Amino acid sequence: LTEASDNLVLSKLPVGHAFNYCVRAVNLVHYMDHPQGYVGDETLKSSINSCASHKINWEASINGKITTESNAGSLPIEDVSAMYQLLNKSLVPIDCSGCSGITKTTKGGSFDITFNIDHKDLYEDNEGEYPVNIYFNKTTPSVPKTIEHKFSCNQGKDDCSGEIGTLVYLSHLKFKEPLHVYDDTSVPFSGKVFIGGTAYP
């Protein structure tokens, strides 16, 4: 019972329901003298209840990483913007605080998206999976023009650059869902190769 009450996965409290939690200090011998000094009942064995209401929000998170592909060294890509939007089961954006936002990758190429949502579309659905639309964007200044980075998902099989993006499905209390994205940017260049110490190409 204690383990279930401390673990939302085991207790399966329905999303959207509010629960009242109460605590009190207890000493079966003598908690404190009665503040009113009642005759015949001068001591108390516990404090009064201190209660607070807690509503069960829909919670989940994504742990993503953006690197070059393994044949390009699996190098982390910093400062990629990841724009996300939580959708309902009909793929319509859910309009609520925390349902959308933008985050950026760290020096190590990682990013986190965390949801703690109170919205009627998610109520009483602890098992259902909801899609998150994620778009990636990064530009690098260059001459003669700025480089628009290209990204691929699904083990490098699908283009997920710009407005294409990708979908990740989450259910309540599904944390750190992994997402690995590759930076598939290529830059054309031209030049000449010379034999060292000579003028011959």
Side-chain angles (χ1 to χ4, degrees):
L1 179 61
T2 301
E3 184 180 4
S5 63
D6 291 339
N7 189 326
L8 291 177
V9 175
L10 295 177
S11 61
K12 296 185 178 180
L13 300 178
V15 174
H17 286 219
F19 295 86
N20 207 36
Y21 293 89
C22 298
V23 296
R24 61 175 176 167
V26 176
N27 187 317
L28 296 180
V29 178
H30 180 197
Y31 171 69
M32 65 177 286
D33 292 336
H34 199 298
Q36 303 298 329
Y38 289 157
V39 176
D41 190 14
E42 293 85 5
T43 64
L44 294 175
K45 294 183 178 179
S46 73
S47 66
I48 63 172
N49 283 341
S50 178
C51 300
S53 179
H54 175 71
K55 191 172 186 179
I56 305 301
N57 287 349
W58 189 89
E59 297 183 59
S61 67
I62 296 169
N63 177 240
K65 193 172 187 66
I66 302 180
T67 67
T68 58
E69 293 197 54
S70 57
N71 58 10
S74 298
L75 302 175
I77 308 299
E78 184 183 4
D79 283 335
V80 178
S81 294
M83 183 173 68
Y84 59 91
Q85 171 68 63
L86 181 64
L87 312 176
N88 64 22
K89 292 181 178 179
S90 300
L91 300 182
V92 176
I94 298 176
D95 183 15
C96 74
S97 175
C99 285
S100 62
I102 299 176
T103 186
K104 284 196 172 188
T105 56
T106 64
K107 287 183 179 296
S110 63
F111 66 94
D112 290 297
I113 298 173
T114 302
F115 296 103
N116 189 337
I117 306 299
D118 178 17
H119 192 274
K120 59 182 179 60
D121 283 2
L122 307 170
Y123 287 176
E124 299 187 0
D125 192 2
N126 288 36
E127 306 299 330
E129 292 190 325
Y130 290 85
V132 181
N133 215 341
I134 310 175
Y135 305 94
F136 306 98
N137 180 65
K138 179 180 172 70
T139 57
T140 299
S142 183
V143 176
K145 63 179 182 178
T146 299
I147 299 170
E148 295 278 349
H149 287 241
K150 303 295 182 183
F151 300 96
S152 60
C153 300
N154 190 22
Q155 298 181 334
K157 298 175 184 177
D158 300 327
D159 181 11
C160 55
S161 305
E163 296 182 358
I164 300 173
T166 189
L167 286 177
V168 177
Y169 283 81
L170 296 176
S171 58
H172 179 49
L173 301 180
K174 190 173 188 179
F175 296 112
K176 293 189 176 297
E177 176 68 10
L179 174 63
H180 197 165
V181 179
Y182 295 115
D183 187 327
D184 200 24
T185 307
S186 59
V187 181
F189 63 93
S190 61
K192 290 184 177 181
V193 178
F194 290 85
I195 300 174
T198 74
Y200 298 104

